[in-house]
Amino acid sequence: MSPLNRRTLIVGGIAGGVTAAGLTVASAGVAPPLSYPFKLGVASGEPWADGFVLWTRLAPHPLDADGLGGMSNTTVPVDWQVSTNQSFTGIVASGTFTATQAWAHSVHVEVSGLTAGTWYYYRFRAAGHISPVGRTRTAPAVGTSPAMTMLFTSCSHYESGYFTAYRRMAEETPDVILHLGDYIYEGKAGSGVRSHSPAVEISSLADYRVRHAQYKTDPDLQAAHHIAPWITVWDDHEVENNYAGLTRADSSPAGDFAARRTAAYKAYYEHMPLRAAQAPSGANLQLYRRLRWGSLATFHMLDTRQYRDDQACGDGTKLCPAADDPQRTITGAAQESWLLNGLNQKLGTWDLIGQQVFFAQKLAAADGSKSMDSWDGYTANRTRIQNGWDAQGNDSVVVLTGDVHRSWAANIMHDYAAQDRIIGTELITTSVTSSGDGNAAENALDPALNPHVKFYKNLRGYVRTVTSAGQMNVDFRFVDKVTVRDRPVTTAQSYVIHAGNPGLQAS
Ligand code: FE
Ligand code: CA
């Protein structure tokens, strides 16, 4: 990432003037001078054909226990610039965002009016300090289908290892990165290679802010944010392990779970490059959304936590006929019809469903035991969605999944018991760090139980996809260790998926 380091940017200077208000405040001594406030790096996200979101958060002291990052209760003007080059001699958009303590001095700028399918560079300035430079891009125009390199991953537990996978992802210079949840973990400090802050299990807004800030200080994570726009959805650990809607999964820590979820959702918004449409509203946050990547692909980003029924039969992995109750939902009725409607429109060649938990059926034992936290615990909801897209003749659906800390690949079947007809493809990324180093030799595939499940690997890493109008090339990428810094990445398995012919093919 050396081309984008801070020195480059300082040499290049900032072309726009600092706002008069900013200079006046600093020189008059009304507020003490701010020490370097960009310790959380910068990020971009939500690429549209004419713009994107730019993010940063002012936090000169990221781990302060009050969650305010060392900022006082004053508003701070933050200048931002977008340029066609990294020397900032081609500025095409600029402005000033007013950061406030109510939002932890986070910055969310929605830039519009830019050229489709184009790379840009961006930076911020506050109180005389200049941020690192980020690289980002707009989505291609509808009507065009240039090839897209998309990386996706999930489950980045800070204590379990170093975020080397993020560093290797940055080095791939992708067009876009998806994070499918468990971006932070809520647990107290444990016994990994490094320790959580704060040391307690987080439950207050201040705690969630500190935890997010701690993760954002990681240089490998920052590198991945600095290289490309991200599209993120949460899973459970951004709030609490295996929660369901407003139902907590356990009693630790005690307290009002709705208040806890509200705090967690607000902190998530404050730390992610999301649009104002995703700002929290009361106890809720509208996270499911669609993004178009020209006429090549449509991202349908799901939220399978906020609206789900409680896990059946007390959660866990078990034989549970109640999981098949047609009333049960993991999406909620509104999101289900929104998704089916979007899939039926076939807005682009590929429909990519970015979501959290294992989608295809996966039997854990011959008696029919399955994971109640996954779509196997909500089978009628799954059947309505997958057979819904199939009935509409949508033959280019790929489900992208996280959560399980292992990589898997599966064909989505019209009827799993009969192994009748492949109607889609599921790619499951492993974790960035969660579950630690793993075991390259472990094999959990059981073709007798799950003939449609084709690949398994228990190592840390991510999935790389290179998609064109004709095919998607898939590489499962792994680092051999995360308890040791800076390991190389290698491809353990590749597949091709052909547009119009669902299922995994040998590459
Ligand atoms: Fe996880
Ligand atoms: Ca999870």
Side-chain angles (χ1 to χ4, degrees):
M1 298 312 94
S2 54
L4 300 184
N5 68 17
R6 199 167 147 237
R7 184 172 38 181
T8 303
L9 148 72
I10 290 168
V11 169
I14 191 159
V18 94
T19 63
L23 284 174
T24 303
V25 168
S27 57
V30 172
L34 205 56
S35 61
Y36 184 69
F38 295 111
K39 291 180 178 171
L40 309 188
V42 300
S44 69
E46 306 298 292
W48 286 4
D50 77 333
F52 34 68
V53 174
L54 304 179
W55 174 93
T56 192
R57 182 188 158 205
L58 307 179
H61 302 288
L63 303 186
D64 277 6
D66 62 7
L68 300 177
M71 299 294 291
S72 65
N73 187 19
T74 50
T75 61
V76 179
V78 182
D79 302 318
W80 57 270
Q81 294 177 324
V82 176
S83 172
T84 53
N85 57 42
Q86 62 189 98
S87 57
F88 284 84
T89 56
I91 292 171
V92 292
S94 60
T96 302
F97 182 94
T98 302
T100 66
Q101 193 180 59
W103 295 97
H105 290 93
S106 62
V107 175
H108 293 85
V109 177
E110 291 189 32
V111 184
S112 60
L114 301 177
T115 305
T118 303
W119 284 101
Y120 293 96
Y121 297 86
Y122 63 94
R123 63 185 178 185
F124 301 93
R125 178 171 60 187
H129 299 284
I130 300 177
S131 77
V133 172
R135 170 185 181 263
T136 191
R137 60 162 297 162
T138 50
V142 169
T144 68
S145 297
M148 168 185 72
T149 299
M150 182 273 287
L151 311 178
F152 68 100
T153 195
S154 71
C155 295
S156 30
H157 187 279
Y158 187 81
E159 298 185 320
S160 296
Y162 299 107
F163 288 168
T164 309
Y166 283 142
R167 174 71 60 178
R168 302 286 93 90
M169 290 168 77
E171 290 164 357
E172 307 237 17
T173 57
D175 290 302
V176 60
I177 291 174
L178 270 56
H179 197 293
L180 300 177
D182 293 356
Y183 183 96
I184 62 160
Y185 280 76
E186 82 284 14
K188 65 184 182 187
S191 56
V193 299
R194 47 191 183 172
S195 286
H196 266 154
S197 288
V200 297
E201 178 169 338
I202 54 177
S203 58
S204 68
L205 179 57
D207 287 350
Y208 280 105
R209 283 169 165 171
V210 172
R211 187 64 55 84
H212 272 285
Q214 180 183 35
Y215 278 56
K216 277 286 198 308
T217 59
D218 182 274
D220 298 322
L221 174 57
Q222 289 189 9
H225 275 298
H226 292 183
I227 205 66
W230 285 41
I231 303 172
T232 71
V233 284
W234 56 38
D235 190 26
D236 51 337
H237 287 287
E238 284 87 351
V239 180
E240 183 213 43
N241 180 50
N242 281 18
Y243 82 98
L246 283 168
T247 303
R248 68 189 319 152
D250 59 49
S251 56
S252 171
D256 177 348
F257 183 71
R260 181 181 183 183
R261 199 188 81 168
T262 301
Y265 283 10
K266 184 168 196 289
Y268 184 82
Y269 174 78
E270 288 171 347
H271 291 84
M272 293 294 155
L274 292 169
R275 292 181 184 272
Q278 276 65 56
S281 173
N284 302 312
L285 187 153
Q286 167 79 43
L287 194 60
Y288 68 84
R289 63 201 188 279
R290 239 184 302 279
L291 293 99
R292 298 186 68 176
W293 195 267
S295 292
L296 180 70
T298 306
F299 293 101
H300 309 262
M301 304 303 293
L302 304 192
D303 176 356
T304 59
R305 286 290 161 193
Q306 190 171 183
Y307 313 103
R308 69 158 71 192
D309 291 322
D310 197 12
Q311 289 87 353
C313 299
D315 207 352
T317 298
K318 52 192 57 166
L319 177 61
C320 176
D324 303 324
D325 181 342
Q327 300 302 315
R328 290 180 53 69
T329 183
I330 189 170
T331 59
Q335 184 175 199
E336 178 184 318
S337 57
W338 166 88
L339 176 59
L340 277 169
N341 180 48
L343 293 171
N344 293 347
Q345 290 180 56
K346 285 207 87 217
L347 295 167
T349 300
W350 299 89
D351 283 292
L352 308 178
I353 302 177
Q355 58 96 45
Q356 295 78 24
V357 291
F358 216 105
F359 184 84
Q361 175 173 291
K362 183 160 67 69
L363 300 181
D367 70 356
S369 296
K370 297 176 284 190
S371 164
M372 291 299 105
D373 189 56
S374 73
W375 289 78
D376 273 330
Y378 307 82
T379 57
N381 197 175
R382 175 176 64 202
T383 299
R384 288 192 298 270
I385 289 169
Q386 65 165 55
N387 294 359
W389 84 54
D390 179 52
Q392 293 290 328
N394 192 330
D395 50 20
S396 300
V397 175
V398 181
V399 177
L400 313 171
T401 302
D403 178 57
V404 285
H405 309 174
R406 309 287 188 274
S407 273
W408 302 77
N411 292 327
I412 295 170
M413 309 301 295
H414 180 259
D415 181 330
Y416 294 98
Q419 288 289 298
D420 172 45
R421 212 156 53 77
I422 300 169
I423 61 171
T425 317
E426 182 173 13
L427 307 173
I428 298 101
T429 180
T430 187
S431 55
V432 174
T433 53
S434 304
S435 295
D437 285 339
N439 176 359
E442 186 177 285
N443 182 10
L445 286 175
D446 185 343
L449 274 181
N450 299 295
H452 56 286
V453 179
K454 303 300 185 187
F455 175 66
Y456 173 87
K457 186 66 77 179
N458 176 10
L459 287 174
R460 311 289 77 83
Y462 56 93
V463 181
R464 178 175 66 198
T465 62
V466 179
T467 305
S468 66
Q471 66 186 56
M472 175 185 294
N473 290 62
V474 181
D475 297 307
F476 285 91
R477 307 272 283 158
F478 299 98
V479 293
D480 64 343
K481 280 182 169 40
V482 292
T483 54
V484 177
R485 286 188 187 274
D486 202 28
R487 300 297 296 169
V489 68
T490 56
T491 297
Q493 180 73 42
S494 299
Y495 292 101
V496 174
I497 305 168
H498 294 286
N501 183 21
L504 301 158
Q505 308 282 346
S507 68

